[in-house]
Amino acid sequence: MISQTPSREPRTIVVIGNGMVGHRFCERLVECDVEDQYRIVTFCEESRPAYDRVGLSKYFTHRDAGQLMLADPAWYAEHDIELHVGDKAVSINRFDRVVESQQGRRIGYDILVLATGSSPFVPPTPGVDLPGVFVYRTIDDLDQMLAWGESAKRAAVIGGGLLGLEAAKAVLDMGLEAHVVEFAPRLMPRQLDERGSQILVSQIESLGAKVHLNRQTRQILGEHRVTGMAFADETSLDVDMVVVSAGIRPRDELAKACGLDLGPRGGVIVNDALLTSDPHIYAIGEVALHRGMIYGLVAPGYDMAETLAKNLTGDSGEFRGADLSTKLKLMGVDVASFGQYEADADVAKCVSFEDPIAGIYKKLLVTSDGRHLLGGMLVGDASDFTRLLSLCKSGKPLPGSASDLLGMGGAATAGAADLDDDCQICSCNNVTKGTVCAAIRGGVTAVGELKKCTKAGTGCGGCIPLVTDILNAELKLSGQKVDLSLCEHFAYTRQELFQIVKVKGCRTFDALLASHGAGHGCEICKPAVASILASLWNDPILKREHATLQDTNDRFLANIQRGGLYSVVPRVAGGEVTPDKLIALGTVAKKFGLYTKITGGQRVDLFGARVQDLPDIWADLVEAGFESGHAYGKSLRTVKSCVGSTWCRYGVGDSVGFAIRIENRYKGLRSPHKLKGGVSGCVRECAEAQGKDFGLIATEQGYNLYVCGNGGAKPRHADLLAADLDEETCIRYLDRFLMYYVTTADRLTRTSVWLDKLEGGIEHLRAVVIDDKLGLCADLEAMMQRVVDTYRCEWKDVVDDPELQQRFRQFVNTDESEPDIEFVSERGQSRPADWPDEAELAQLQLPNGKAYIPAIDGRTWVRVGNVKDFPQDGGGTIRYGYAQIAVFQFASRGEWYATSNMCPHKREFVLSRGILGDVQGEPKVACPLHKKTFSLKTGQCLTGEEYVIDTYPVKIDGDDVLLYLPPPGRLAEAPAVEQRRCGTGCHSCSGSPVAIGQSV
């Protein structure tokens, strides 16, 4: 570490390279408040500042580099960092300590940091220089690929590692036929074994790509452009585009030219302080060779950046290597590996779990005595990665058997208290349990506060349940009362609210809020209460008093997908379907251009439906004899069956007939989480009944009833509740079991987790359901019978009601519809710089008492609809030129708001479908995709991120709704991007955007 001798003049740190690692180093210096200590200069070779290379494939979805930017030039200026964009450092004079750039700049340095990263390795294959061959590394590379892709149809990606699979995803998103060519006998050979690779291959090929293993490219074919590839095994592949992603090489040419020590295969040699052979030069990231290792992952680079920043700001630290454990989502498939995943049989034993239907493979290596976890891999489901990685790194004995860790033993899984402080809780933002605990011990008492101060849970949101468990465990440990309130609006648990609604007879959310709540509700309590009301009273969920309580899936009776489109899943009870109905499904799919897929629950899913087409789709399906499959709700999804005694030579029970009966009985039940069932006709278990929330297996004496299994995120073997039952007894026990779960489970809790946390476990459940220990069985049966007797098909309700159909219009102010169009506002927000502040607005009153806003920048009041066009306590979308604007009638507050309809997180046009609420009095809307919330007043993101949405003034004139808007063209200064689909329903382009005028 360089001595920190006080100096009057700030010392100069020059950072060569402004990639992810170079930017992270600058960030950490800024956080250490070094303005008086250091002058920071950074050279950026590309035409734009640092951006997220890991998320490059997102660029193919929206073609907006801004989404990937880690910081804009204003951030560097704000923190006095001299950023030289588009200016490559070309030489280092170590004697004079000067860096010279391509544009002639000469910057002297006291400390030089090399963060030059790496460049793609391009194999010396004949034809690699042909037009149509690209590398996958920068946004400029992607722009070239996009331009070439307009005239291409088939593309091959050379390389089946992490970057290669990301490139293959990009090729699919371009709408091209995709091929992955890998020299090794398996994909991701550094992370997966043979079986893990096979599962990953099957998952990737199910998405539309083709994988070629054991293929060495001998030549890229073509004269004036790529026409194909020839392989060493004498086979060939016709393609008109090739993307090379076969590895990386450290960009050490500057270091080599100035005489720094390099490794025999490249890379700048550094010690544990990241110091090179020159006492004034450091190296971090993919250019650094540390203990013989060059890390090709961003996380080790970030660790290097943080270590060096500490050393240069008076702290001390050493980089002793990095954990190569990874958790990624490749082409939509979860893949993770940690520790050792291969070892000799005399050193370790292997425990594995495989579900080829769901595309899940899990493998753990434990010591030969079975007491310690050495490592493992997860494909298709990486939800246990954090817990397993922590256990592996800690060296602690296993809390149970190795099979329990994979959920195969039915035992409760380890909780938050079992995790070490250095366990990574949030992989998106690299937040450890220790960081979360420190915040809690510092006075944080709510999950929302934790998200803001630690950033945990502000990425994908998948760690929120674990963050909540840690919070509750820490508060309990410190002797504080754990607040189990549903949210700030109800000081009760979901279970307590269920009993209140039942006993008090509350029939609406507003009635419950008035008697037992506060404020105006939110995206947590509204759906939870809506579910309770449906479970007890079973009113149609689209009644006006219930409609805007629902998440978007329930509100529009379909599952929201990418691009704000929906998927439609008709019910196919027990998996039995007639030929005429199959033909009807195909006819509907062709008529509306929908992508079709067979689900794991023996149904057909129709993807890509526009919200305005949903009523017409349902009309055709209802006419063909279908009804809602409730795939959108926290309710019964399917009851899977084998063919049973009807066809199977081994069958001893009519599994199909019984599955249909059960599914039709419980199809209207709303529950804390989704429910799945199964009925197998014999012990061969072809319907996988023991991996369901409830399952029945036929025996010679009747049926064995299993409950609380889960084949999803955390596989759990179901427990036997009772054996050798007749059908009527099965139904009676199921009525009791399901209603007891609905009555007592917490929100969004699967039956498997519920049972694991239920005091007394399966024995208690058996006593309640079979022995009537609590004297509730008659009540539970009566509650279920009410649900059965009041069932109505929600799709048919819409088909039969023109007023309900109006809620599915794309735009409130026009019956026309169009593909979604992105727009960029002129200044990033709609209010111009000279907009009156709140005090000035208060003075601008018309004689009738209505606020007057002067015509600024050509803006005027524009009528966008009638009051009755917008749902109470909900939103609707209006079309304005090429823009979409969400207008919200927050009736319970007596207020109106308008914002851009596009959520800046995933840039989807969905905000009008979000749930309204408030937080500490601030009105907000929750994006229906990922529940990020935005202030309706300021547009600021309220969940800790730096996103912002545009807001617009609204006023009501009689029954008219008016917005204060600029001329339509001013909302589309930047070239618009139009989302279009080819209409064939194929996977590769469904929902993918292309530029206006581009061929599809």
Side-chain angles (χ1 to χ4, degrees):
M1 185 178 74
I2 293 179
S3 172
Q4 303 297 310
T5 305
S7 173
R8 292 184 179 181
E9 294 295 327
R11 308 173 74 200
T12 299
I13 296 179
V14 174
V15 184
I16 300 180
N18 188 238
M20 297 179 72
V21 173
H23 174 72
R24 176 58 67 93
F25 174 67
C26 292
E27 275 189 324
R28 292 299 175 259
L29 286 180
V30 167
E31 291 174 3
C32 294
D33 194 21
V34 297
E35 288 88 348
D36 296 332
Q37 189 176 355
Y38 290 116
R39 168 198 176 204
I40 307 172
V41 182
T42 181
F43 285 95
C44 176
E45 179 180 347
E46 292 191 52
S47 59
R48 52 183 61 85
Y51 55 87
D52 179 11
R53 292 188 195 276
V54 177
L56 268 182
S57 61
K58 299 175 185 176
Y59 186 69
F60 288 86
T61 304
H62 290 289
R63 321 290 166 87
D64 182 1
Q67 289 189 69
L68 299 175
M69 304 309 294
L70 299 177
D72 58 26
W75 179 86
Y76 292 90
E78 178 186 348
H79 297 289
D80 296 323
I81 298 175
E82 295 177 31
L83 171 66
H84 299 296
V85 176
D87 193 8
K88 177 182 178 181
V90 294
S91 69
I92 301 170
N93 183 331
R94 291 170 54 196
F95 181 79
D96 294 327
R97 277 190 258 159
V98 172
V99 173
E100 185 170 349
S101 76
Q102 199 169 45
Q103 296 182 10
R105 291 185 175 90
R106 290 174 54 83
I107 306 292
Y109 66 84
D110 296 290
I111 298 168
L112 179 63
V113 179
L114 294 175
T116 49
S118 63
S119 59
F121 167 66
V122 180
T125 305
V128 77
D129 55 349
L130 279 171
V133 179
F134 304 92
V135 295
Y136 185 81
R137 189 66 177 170
T138 69
I139 289 178
D140 290 339
D141 294 332
L142 270 55
D143 282 333
Q144 294 175 28
M145 289 171 58
L146 286 166
W148 187 270
E150 291 183 17
S151 60
K153 294 182 179 180
R154 310 177 78 208
V157 176
I158 299 178
L162 302 178
L163 280 178
L165 295 181
E166 282 293 317
K169 173 64 164 57
V171 168
L172 279 177
D173 286 342
M174 291 171 63
L176 305 181
E177 182 180 313
H179 296 261
V180 178
V181 178
E182 169 57 44
F183 175 77
R186 60 181 188 254
L187 289 180
M188 297 181 64
R190 294 186 178 182
Q191 288 87 13
L192 299 180
D193 65 4
E194 180 67 26
R195 191 59 189 136
S197 171
Q198 290 172 0
I199 292 290
L200 182 58
V201 167
S202 66
Q203 288 286 77
I204 289 174
E205 291 194 331
S206 72
L207 297 175
K210 178 65 177 175
V211 179
H212 308 267
L213 301 176
N214 283 310
R215 295 292 180 89
Q216 180 182 0
T217 304
R218 178 172 54 82
Q219 183 179 357
I220 297 176
L221 305 175
E223 293 185 8
H224 305 293
R225 59 180 291 159
V226 171
T227 60
M229 301 172 67
F231 303 113
D233 62 1
E234 303 302 324
T235 61
S236 62
L237 179 66
D238 292 333
V239 294
D240 40 26
M241 178 174 170
V242 173
V243 182
V244 179
S245 186
I248 59 172
R249 282 182 170 173
R251 292 197 57 184
D252 55 13
E253 58 269 21
L254 276 176
K256 182 177 182 180
C258 72
L260 293 178
D261 290 348
L262 306 181
R265 301 182 64 182
V268 183
I269 297 175
V270 296
N271 61 17
D272 289 353
L274 290 316
L275 187 65
T276 70
S277 54
D278 185 312
H280 297 279
I281 302 179
Y282 295 80
I284 57 178
E286 292 174 340
V287 73
L289 180 67
H290 177 262
R291 299 189 182 184
M293 172 72 75
I294 288 178
Y295 295 96
L297 301 171
V298 70
Y302 279 176
D303 289 344
M304 293 180 185
E306 297 192 17
T307 298
L308 181 56
K310 286 181 180 179
N311 287 337
L312 298 180
T313 54
D315 204 343
S316 60
E318 291 184 333
F319 179 78
R320 296 185 176 274
D323 179 16
L324 293 179
S325 301
T326 57
K327 179 187 176 186
L328 305 159
K329 186 176 285 289
L330 298 170
M331 300 181 72
V333 182
D334 284 333
V335 178
S337 66
F338 58 95
Q340 295 177 252
Y341 66 86
E342 289 186 321
D344 294 335
D346 58 342
V347 176
K349 293 182 178 179
C350 170
V351 179
S352 63
F353 167 85
E354 182 178 335
D355 182 349
I357 296 176
I360 295 174
Y361 173 71
K362 301 185 179 187
K363 171 184 173 180
L364 300 181
L365 280 186
V366 296
T367 53
S368 54
D369 60 5
R371 298 186 59 193
H372 299 275
L373 180 62
L374 298 175
M377 65 183 64
L378 310 168
V379 178
D381 169 31
S383 56
D384 282 330
F385 174 76
T386 299
R387 178 172 59 91
L388 294 173
L389 175 62
S390 173
L391 189 59
C392 177
K393 293 172 67 175
S394 71
K396 292 181 178 179
L398 301 185
S401 69
S403 59
D404 288 343
L405 293 178
L406 294 179
M408 297 161 60
T413 56
D418 301 297
L419 303 177
D420 293 325
D421 281 349
D422 62 354
C423 174
Q424 185 186 67
I425 300 300
C426 174
S427 59
C428 295
N429 294 293
N430 193 25
V431 183
T432 64
K433 178 189 174 185
T435 301
V436 174
C437 290
I440 299 169
R441 292 162 190 163
V444 173
T445 59
V447 171
E449 298 173 47
L450 272 178
K451 291 170 68 175
K452 286 185 177 180
C453 68
T454 68
K455 301 298 182 184
T458 60
C460 69
C463 61
I464 288 298
L466 186 55
V467 170
T468 303
D469 287 346
I470 293 172
L471 173 64
N472 292 341
E474 281 295 309
L475 292 177
K476 186 175 181 180
L477 191 65
S478 64
Q480 299 183 60
K481 181 180 179 181
V482 177
D483 185 6
L484 298 178
S485 300
L486 188 64
C487 64
E488 69 174 74
H489 305 101
F490 289 100
Y492 304 94
T493 64
R494 188 256 178 199
Q495 299 92 320
E496 291 169 337
L497 282 178
F498 191 100
Q499 296 305 320
I500 291 170
V501 172
K502 181 182 177 183
V503 173
K504 297 291 185 180
C506 296
R507 303 297 294 252
T508 67
F509 176 83
D510 289 344
L512 181 63
L513 189 69
S515 63
H516 290 82
H520 299 277
C522 65
E523 71 280 3
I524 295 174
C525 61
K526 284 185 174 182
V529 172
S531 175
I532 292 172
L533 295 172
S535 296
L536 282 169
W537 318 126
N538 210 21
D539 284 342
I541 63 173
L542 291 190
K543 287 182 67 172
R544 288 198 176 275
E545 57 265 40
H546 303 318
T548 54
L549 304 177
Q550 317 294 334
D551 275 320
T552 184
N553 287 1
D554 276 307
R555 183 176 169 187
F556 294 99
L557 309 180
N559 284 13
I560 196 166
Q561 307 290 349
R562 283 181 52 188
L565 302 173
Y566 288 84
S567 67
V568 175
V569 187
R571 186 168 302 285
V572 181
E576 183 179 80
V577 63
T578 65
D580 286 341
K581 284 190 172 182
L582 280 176
I583 292 170
L585 289 174
T587 301
V588 169
K590 290 181 68 175
K591 178 178 178 180
F592 293 94
L594 307 178
Y595 165 72
T596 55
K597 185 181 185 301
I598 305 297
T599 73
Q602 299 177 329
R603 303 197 291 190
V604 177
D605 204 339
L606 309 173
F607 287 86
R610 302 184 303 171
V611 67
Q612 63 267 28
D613 289 340
L614 289 173
D616 291 336
I617 292 171
W618 299 333
D620 288 357
L621 291 173
V622 169
E623 184 178 357
F626 288 103
E627 60 184 12
S628 167
H630 287 89
Y632 47 82
K634 297 296 184 285
S635 54
L636 179 70
R637 298 294 177 84
T638 65
V639 179
K640 189 174 183 179
S641 72
C642 63
V643 296
S645 57
T646 306
W647 293 97
C648 179
R649 66 185 186 276
Y650 299 111
V652 296
D654 179 12
S655 56
V656 178
F658 199 21
I660 292 172
R661 180 186 177 190
I662 292 172
E663 185 163 344
N664 284 327
R665 180 170 182 80
Y666 302 124
K667 62 189 177 184
L669 178 65
R670 284 307 202 279
S671 47
H673 208 292
K674 64 183 177 183
L675 292 166
K676 295 183 179 181
V679 182
S680 290
C682 72
V683 294
R684 286 169 177 78
E685 249 286 65
C686 292
E688 301 163 327
Q690 294 176 80
K692 303 291 191 292
D693 295 283
F694 61 88
L696 294 150
I697 301 176
T699 69
E700 296 290 349
Q701 289 75 39
Y703 286 94
N704 290 345
L705 174 58
Y706 292 83
V707 295
C708 302
N710 182 4
K714 294 185 177 180
R716 182 191 191 279
H717 197 285
D719 290 341
L720 179 65
L721 183 68
D724 299 330
L725 307 175
D726 59 52
E727 290 191 4
E728 297 307 318
T729 304
C730 285
I731 294 292
R732 188 163 62 252
Y733 286 175
L734 278 174
D735 282 357
R736 299 172 183 178
F737 158 69
L738 290 172
M739 265 305 171
Y740 188 53
Y741 160 67
V742 168
T743 303
T744 62
D746 200 2
R747 59 181 290 269
L748 303 181
T749 301
R750 291 295 298 264
T751 57
S752 54
V753 178
W754 170 70
L755 182 61
D756 284 341
K757 294 182 177 181
L758 190 66
E759 187 173 351
I762 188 63
E763 294 301 330
H764 170 77
L765 183 61
R766 191 176 289 117
V768 171
V769 170
I770 298 176
D771 302 331
D772 200 11
K773 174 184 177 181
L774 302 180
L776 296 175
C777 287
D779 289 337
L780 296 174
E781 291 175 21
M783 290 168 64
M784 181 62 76
Q785 193 59 48
R786 178 187 179 87
V787 171
V788 173
D789 292 341
T790 55
Y791 170 79
R792 294 168 59 173
C793 175
E794 293 157 355
W795 288 356
K796 191 173 188 304
D797 283 349
V798 175
V799 171
D800 293 341
D801 189 337
E803 182 179 340
L804 283 179
Q805 292 173 26
Q806 291 298 304
R807 301 186 194 175
F808 293 83
R809 289 183 298 169
Q810 184 178 16
F811 302 118
V812 165
N813 61 337
T814 176
D815 289 330
E816 296 179 1
S817 62
E818 61 182 17
D820 286 337
I821 295 176
E822 292 190 16
F823 68 93
V824 180
S825 62
E826 183 181 5
R827 294 181 173 85
Q829 63 178 34
S830 295
R831 298 181 183 230
D834 53 352
W835 195 266
D837 60 24
E838 297 300 324
E840 291 171 320
L841 283 175
Q843 302 301 316
L844 298 173
Q845 296 291 325
L846 291 175
N848 61 7
K850 295 180 181 178
Y852 166 74
I853 299 179
I856 296 175
D857 203 19
R859 297 168 191 247
T860 58
W861 287 106
V862 179
R863 183 186 183 279
V864 297
N866 191 286
V867 169
K868 67 181 180 182
D869 293 330
F870 299 90
Q872 292 194 359
D873 289 319
T877 307
I878 66 104
R879 175 185 173 185
Y880 185 65
Y882 283 111
Q884 292 190 23
I885 299 175
V887 180
F888 301 99
Q889 182 183 183
F890 209 150
S892 60
R893 290 175 62 103
E895 298 166 353
W896 286 77
Y897 298 96
T899 73
S900 55
N901 193 39
M902 185 176 70
C903 174
H905 176 221
K906 292 296 184 180
R907 300 181 71 82
E908 306 287 13
F909 294 88
V910 294
L911 282 184
S912 67
R913 307 173 204 172
I915 293 177
L916 298 186
D918 65 346
V919 54
Q920 298 177 354
E922 180 79 4
K924 66 176 182 176
V925 61
C927 173
L929 287 179
H930 295 96
K931 298 300 185 291
K932 295 189 185 300
T933 58
F934 299 89
S935 166
L936 291 170
K937 287 185 176 180
T938 67
Q940 298 295 319
C941 183
L942 301 176
T943 46
E945 295 92 338
E946 296 182 358
Y947 300 119
V948 64
I949 58 175
D950 297 342
T951 60
Y952 308 89
V954 188
K955 73 174 181 180
I956 306 302
D957 187 1
D959 290 330
D960 293 332
V961 180
L962 297 95
L963 302 188
Y964 196 63
L965 299 170
R970 301 304 297 271
L971 288 181
E973 292 292 325
V977 173
E978 180 181 351
Q979 288 193 357
R980 304 167 60 197
R981 297 184 304 114
C982 68
T984 63
C986 65
H987 169 81
S988 58
C989 69
S990 182
S992 298
V994 294
I996 290 177
Q998 180 177 330
S999 170
V1000 289

